[in-house]
């Protein structure tokens, strides 16, 4: 197969949802279709069960599982599909944000009874920022759900994206009959016992006289609903979907494997193959001959005897080959990998080559950071892998004076992995850790102790938000620095950050210093 053919058949995406909407279940059904797994239950939910927020074993278990299911590849309909898993627990949202930088499209799962929930809203903001194409799967139609038109309106207004149903449900809950596929113009009938192979699929169109026999007493209602769909929604336009402006919507029930095939069939036809990526220097076309890629995730090894890590690299162009020398741009060193790995469902195996859209696992002894670029010699830096302004902050202090070095190394490496962000106060040089979830503080403390043999102590600090600052007005910037000296810090890369202690302080600063730009992501 040529490089072009390999790239065109790749579909790299993530499934995102609010916890419990059915992400794990849908992932598993997709893998069953792809033959990547053969029994239901093979994909473990990687979410931390409710109420387990301070159970370290649970955290560790979760981290162990998420390595295995970080990337799941399978073949379907001539396509090579790569699903990138995202942590279900909202305290790991930053991990999810970063994973979204490595995908070409996204499927959002929504619980039909609950509608759009908070976590979905936040994740959609990241997709919108990156103009990632999204498809929506409204799940759990076997349960009583909200009205489909209300759900469509809710997705449109809450997720701020135009929608276009490509399937439409026929009732819900105990009287759920199935969905009418507007994309293929046929009917999929629901029988709740079809656990693994969805087959209740009949070639009956809307105007067929047989329709009534299948979906009575909802025939008239379906015809009216579909009239309304055609009247209200514009025809599906793939270009608008690819621009991230229009989301096709499907309805189904993942646990019953219902509506999943329709979603997958449509997905392989319309979802994008790898697209160009931006670097600070130029745009990289996936079809370029030379290999480029970047690291979007680093995972520590769970085995205490093997402290090495796995770095996940997304290939952006060219052909990646095992044993070949590549330039690690940040260090300027040439490196080769003798056992790069790929992931097929729960199995990890050494590969000889990989193509744009693929994710390769690289063995890392602690040299790599999130965002690191690999090339065949060109000095490039990929953009679009931002850090997000954290929401929770604490001072980190050394709990054992003998272990100062271990602590410093541990903090350094954990920050490279993207577990949290480090800020150093300009005023007193104290180190502040910022995270998106409270759980991270426990994870950091635990890992420092178990992996680096270092003890840390936390001390409270009142910070509402950290924002990166920049200005062309030097006089105003100097004035700001003088007045806000106590609230300034440097991030890990030496960039200036304003640590606003309250929302009021931030609003006042923005008002008084109009020429200063306050950024809530590290990339601007
Ligand atoms: P998540 O990864 O998005 O957090 O969700 P997950 O797939 O784990 O699903 C959450 C719960 O919803 C699970 O039940 C799952 O069985 C159920 N579920 C998923 N899809 C459907 C569906 O189409 N219909 C119905 N009725 N339920 C569905 P659980 O009781 O939390 O877990 P389990 O004991 O069943 O594994």
């Amino acid at each position: 197969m040529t490089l072009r053919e390999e790239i065109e058949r790749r579909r790299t995406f993530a499934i995102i949802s609010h916890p419990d909407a059915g992400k794990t279940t849908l992932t598993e059904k997709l893998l069953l279709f792809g033959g990547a797994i053969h029994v239901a239950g093979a994909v473990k939910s990687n979410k931390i069960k409710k109420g387990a927020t301070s159970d370290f074993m649970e955290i560790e278990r979760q981290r162990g599982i998420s390595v295995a299911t970080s990337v799941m590849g399978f073949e379907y309909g001539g396509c090579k599909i790569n699903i990138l898993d995202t942590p279900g627990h909202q305290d790991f949202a930053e991990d999810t944000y970063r994973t979204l930088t490595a995908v070409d499209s996204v499927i959002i799962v929504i619980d039909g009874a609950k509608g759009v929930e908070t976590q979905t809203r936040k994740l959609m903001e990241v997709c919108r920022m990156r103009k990632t194409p999204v498809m929506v799967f409204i799940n759990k139609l076997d349960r009583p759900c909200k009205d489909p038109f209300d759900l469509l309106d809710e997705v449109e207004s809450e997720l701020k994206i135009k929608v276009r149903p490509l399937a439409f449900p026929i009732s819900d809950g105990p009287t759920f009959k199935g969905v009418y596929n507007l994309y293929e113009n046929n009917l999929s009938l629901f029988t709740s016992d079809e656990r693994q192979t969805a087959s209740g699929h009949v070639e009956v169109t809307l105007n067929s006289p047989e329709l009534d026999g299948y979906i009575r007493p909802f025939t008239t209602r379906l015809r009216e609903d579909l009239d309304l769909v055609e009247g209200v929604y514009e025809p599906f336009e793939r270009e608008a979907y690819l621009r991230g402006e229009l989301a096709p919507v499907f309805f189904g029930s993942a646990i019953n494997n219902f509506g999943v095939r329709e979603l997958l069939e449509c997905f392989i036809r319309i979802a994008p193959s790898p697209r160009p990526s931006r670097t600070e220097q130029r745009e990289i076309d996936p079809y370029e001959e030379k290999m480029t890629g970047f690291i979007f995730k680093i995972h520590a090894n769970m085995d205490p005897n093997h402290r090495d890590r796995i770095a996940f690299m997304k290939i952006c162009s060219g052909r990646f080959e095992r044993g070949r020398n590549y330039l690690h741009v940040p260090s300027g060193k040439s490196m080769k990998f003798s056992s790069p790995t790929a992931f097929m469902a729960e199995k990890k195996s050494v590969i000889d080559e990989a193509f744009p859209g693929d994710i390769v696992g690289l063995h890392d002894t602690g040299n790599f950071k999130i965002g690191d670029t690999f090339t065949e010699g060109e000095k490039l830096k990929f953009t679009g892998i931002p850090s997000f302004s954290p929401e929770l902050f604490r001072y980190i202090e050394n709990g054992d004076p003998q272990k100062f070095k271990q602590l410093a190394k541990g903090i350094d490496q954990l920050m490279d992995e993207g577990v949290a962000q480090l800020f150093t106060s300009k005023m007193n040089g104290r180190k502040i850790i910022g995270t998106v979830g409270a759980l991270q503080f426990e994870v950091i403390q635990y890992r420092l102790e178990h992996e680096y043999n270092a003890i840390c102590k936390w001390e409270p600090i009142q910070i509402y938000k950290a924002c990166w600052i920049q200005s062309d007005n030097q006089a105003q910037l100097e004035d700001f620095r003088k007045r806000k000296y106590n609230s300034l810090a440097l991030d890990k890369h030496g960039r200036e950050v304003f640590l606003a202690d309250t929302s009021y302080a931030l609003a006042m600063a923005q008002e008084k210093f109009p020429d200063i730009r306050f950024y809530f992501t590290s990339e601007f």
Side-chain angles (χ1 to χ4, degrees), residues 17 19-25 47 139-140 142-143 253-255:
S17 75
D20 273 349
K23 178 168 73 74
T24 312
T25 312
K47 68 188 158 190
N139 192 25
K140 307 200 185 180
D142 58 315
R143 293 241 184 102
S253 167
I255 193 95

Side-chain angles (χ1 to χ4, degrees), residues 90-91 93-94 97-98 122 125-126 129 385-393 419-423 433-437 440 463-469 491 495-500 506 510 518-524:
Q90 61 173 15
D91 281 11
E94 177 109 28
Y97 299 154
R98 273 194 302 265
K122 280 193 193 172
E125 270 168 38
V126 181
M129 212 165 78
I385 314 145
S387 299
F388 292 84
S389 176
E391 286 163 16
L392 301 169
F393 302 85
V419 175
Q421 290 178 58
L422 176 72
F423 304 101
I433 301 282
T435 70
V436 293
Q440 256 88 343
I463 299 174
Y464 160 71
K465 222 160 189 52
C467 34
W468 287 267
I469 55 169
D491 76 0
R495 286 176 305 190
E496 229 168 3
V497 178
F498 172 49
L499 305 174
L506 178 60
Q510 284 170 315
F518 297 82
Y519 297 98
F520 298 96
T521 68
S522 66
E523 205 166 74
F524 34 82

